Amino acid sequence: MKLSKLPLLVQEEVLHNMSYTNLFLLSFLSRKVKKLIKSSQMNRSKMIDYIEYECDSQQEPFVQVFYKHDLYEELMVIAKNKDTHNEYIQLNVSGKMIDIQISDEYIKPIVRFQIDENEAVISSMHNSFLEFFGNSVEFRWKACGYNNCIPHLQNLKGCIKFSSHGANKETLENFFSSAPAFKWIDVSADGKTEPSDPESKFYQAESIQTLQLRNNSPDILSHFQGKQVVFKFGHCNFLDVISFVNRWKSGEAYHKLEYLMIEVFWDVFPQNEILNAIGPKHLDEMKKPPTHCVPKIYIDYFWSKPNTDPITSHVYVVRETNNHVASVSIQERFIHFGESKNNQQLDGRITGRETEKLTRQRHVSTTPFSSLHSTQKYDLR
């Protein structure tokens, strides 16, 4: 039975129960069908958090649609052409004829490309995704190591988890200078490996997580320009922590910062010395302090908590330029720092009701997203 012959409500119900893979391929039938799909899937599109190219060392990415609350759906694979008995379907994708392989062997369709055409094919597919999903959707390229470049595509940000043990610093510098802006970076290292340029895209990543056992307060602490940063060090000079807080207070740096956590393995932070040097303010100990908690930009494992560690502290500092406040918690091996984006100053004059209101505002809802079902991930290559 032809879809076009069905009543509109039935058409929409049929489309609603199709995977995005099938909807995307179906959209190539005609402009009318594409328009119907896009109009019927508007609510579903609002549920999309981002679309990710999960790349391997061969630059053959899985394309996956990630919904809010960590559910995802595989869309397709983009891979090199291989000698195979399976026939290809050719589609005109953004003005380029592209081979798509559909076989019972694979869970999802595979877009095939010749080695010298990979950039052109990926660019055409990306433009088609933008047209289908909308120009406001964020795309991420999850790189496998730093030896391959991340393409510059509209609405795309880089993501990378890597170890820089024995890495050539010049190679790292070239990788970051040639890449687009980064959503998140997760790096482990023996020693100092950060780019020497303070304006490097490395420091501009929205989120950085670093594990550096043999380094003492790396340059990231001084040059970071993003929103969330997690440091895990062997040692950390507490004077660098004082400098960080005072630069934040003066408005000199860290204008986008939401959350910072520092963990040291072989040191103990001198709480009194740090507090005396940063000149904090204190809430009345009899009052309940607000809790700072924001959604994580980078979640390293699927079982990780979706939000940053809550900071519930009577200690806070105030930025001189705009009166923004940041909660500060200092323990033996941990420092937590979180900026509130409301402009209300947290001093002893806040009433208990106002404090509870701020607490509710800063808590993040983690209501389960029950209208979708997660799917099992398969390696299609």
Side-chain angles (χ1 to χ4, degrees):
M1 181 179 291
K2 290 185 177 181
L3 182 64
S4 59
K5 299 296 184 182
L6 299 174
L8 181 60
L9 288 176
V10 177
Q11 291 180 30
E12 292 180 350
E13 185 64 23
V14 170
L15 295 173
H16 183 71
N17 286 280
M18 292 177 67
S19 69
Y20 257 133
T21 297
N22 291 329
L23 289 174
F24 180 71
L25 295 177
L26 190 64
S27 71
F28 286 95
L29 290 178
S30 69
R31 290 183 180 180
K32 184 177 180 180
V33 171
K34 180 178 288 188
K35 184 177 180 180
L36 173 63
I37 292 172
K38 293 177 72 172
S39 63
S40 68
Q41 302 301 303
M42 290 181 65
N43 290 334
R44 186 175 178 181
S45 297
K46 293 176 183 177
M47 300 174 185
I48 295 175
D49 191 6
Y50 60 92
I51 296 174
E52 180 180 87
Y53 297 91
E54 183 178 355
C55 209
D56 64 6
S57 59
Q58 301 299 315
Q59 294 291 85
E60 297 181 337
F62 281 97
V63 186
Q64 302 169 107
V65 179
F66 280 80
Y67 298 97
K68 296 179 172 88
H69 303 281
D70 299 327
L71 304 175
Y72 72 93
E73 178 182 345
E74 291 182 348
L75 189 60
M76 60 182 56
V77 178
I78 304 175
K80 296 182 181 71
N81 212 340
K82 294 182 178 179
D83 292 332
T84 175
H85 297 295
N86 294 309
E87 294 183 354
Y88 297 144
I89 298 172
Q90 280 205 326
L91 293 178
N92 187 332
V93 180
S94 298
K96 182 175 181 60
M97 298 306 297
I98 290 187
D99 293 332
I100 296 182
Q101 181 182 351
I102 299 176
S103 168
D104 293 337
E105 274 185 75
Y106 303 101
I107 306 301
K108 296 297 178 186
I110 300 182
V111 174
R112 292 292 188 183
F113 62 83
Q114 301 295 335
I115 293 178
D116 59 345
E117 291 187 323
N118 63 326
E119 292 183 7
V121 169
I122 289 172
S123 179
S124 294
M125 292 303 303
H126 185 78
N127 290 335
S128 189
F129 294 149
L130 285 170
E131 182 183 0
F132 182 78
F133 291 103
N135 290 330
S136 62
V137 175
E138 179 182 279
F139 290 80
R140 302 181 187 178
W141 186 280
K142 189 176 179 182
C144 180
Y146 50 83
N147 291 316
N148 292 313
C149 294
I150 298 176
H152 285 258
L153 300 170
Q154 184 179 341
N155 292 5
L156 183 140
K157 293 187 177 181
C159 304
I160 185 170
K161 180 176 182 177
F162 70 100
S163 170
S164 62
H165 298 292
N168 183 298
K169 189 165 185 178
E170 183 178 353
T171 302
L172 285 173
E173 294 266 8
N174 291 337
F175 172 78
F176 286 108
S177 64
S178 64
F182 278 85
K183 189 73 178 181
W184 56 259
I185 297 171
D186 183 345
V187 56
S188 61
D190 275 332
K192 197 181 185 79
T193 58
E194 303 85 67
S196 56
D197 179 8
E199 296 302 318
S200 168
K201 291 172 187 173
F202 179 89
Y203 301 116
Q204 297 171 18
E206 290 186 33
S207 173
I208 292 180
Q209 178 167 299
T210 180
L211 171 64
Q212 300 192 26
L213 297 182
R214 299 182 185 179
N215 203 13
N216 185 3
S217 304
D219 291 341
I220 305 174
L221 191 58
S222 299
H223 301 319
F224 183 63
Q225 301 173 40
K227 295 181 179 180
Q228 299 176 14
V229 61
V230 174
F231 295 127
K232 296 181 181 181
F233 300 148
H235 301 283
C236 181
N237 189 333
F238 74 92
L239 295 177
D240 292 334
V241 175
I242 293 170
S243 175
F244 158 79
V245 176
N246 287 332
R247 290 180 70 208
W248 181 90
K249 286 178 60 180
S250 69
E252 176 187 346
Y254 316 113
H255 299 105
K256 299 178 183 178
L257 186 71
E258 296 177 342
Y259 174 82
L260 171 140
M261 190 275 278
I262 301 175
E263 178 183 2
V264 291
F265 303 111
W266 304 319
D267 285 333
V268 173
F269 287 115
Q271 185 181 43
N272 291 335
E273 288 185 58
I274 295 175
L275 291 176
N276 289 337
I278 65 175
K281 296 180 180 294
H282 299 265
L283 284 170
D284 188 331
E285 291 293 331
M286 300 300 293
K287 294 179 179 178
K288 182 179 179 180
T291 297
H292 178 279
C293 185
V294 294
K296 287 181 182 177
I297 293 172
Y298 169 56
I299 298 177
D300 42 1
Y301 301 105
F302 70 88
W303 61 81
S304 299
K305 296 178 181 178
N307 305 318
T308 58
D309 292 338
I311 308 173
T312 305
S313 175
H314 287 84
V315 178
Y316 68 99
V317 291
V318 181
R319 174 168 265 170
E320 299 168 3
T321 53
N322 56 16
N323 285 332
H324 282 193
V325 300
S327 299
V328 180
S329 174
I330 303 175
Q331 300 167 303
E332 287 188 350
R333 295 192 300 109
F334 294 90
I335 289 179
H336 291 86
F337 182 98
E339 178 182 344
S340 169
K341 296 306 179 183
N342 62 46
N343 292 326
Q344 187 168 14
Q345 185 169 320
L346 301 181
D347 59 25
R349 294 170 294 183
I350 290 182
T351 66
R353 181 176 296 178
E354 288 171 330
T355 302
E356 290 175 5
K357 181 180 178 182
L358 285 172
T359 304
R360 288 196 299 271
Q361 289 175 345
R362 293 186 185 186
H363 275 297
V364 179
S365 172
T366 55
T367 305
F369 192 53
S370 58
S371 60
L372 292 172
H373 300 282
S374 59
T375 58
Q376 186 174 358
K377 183 174 181 179
Y378 298 90
D379 190 343
L380 309 185
R381 293 182 288 277

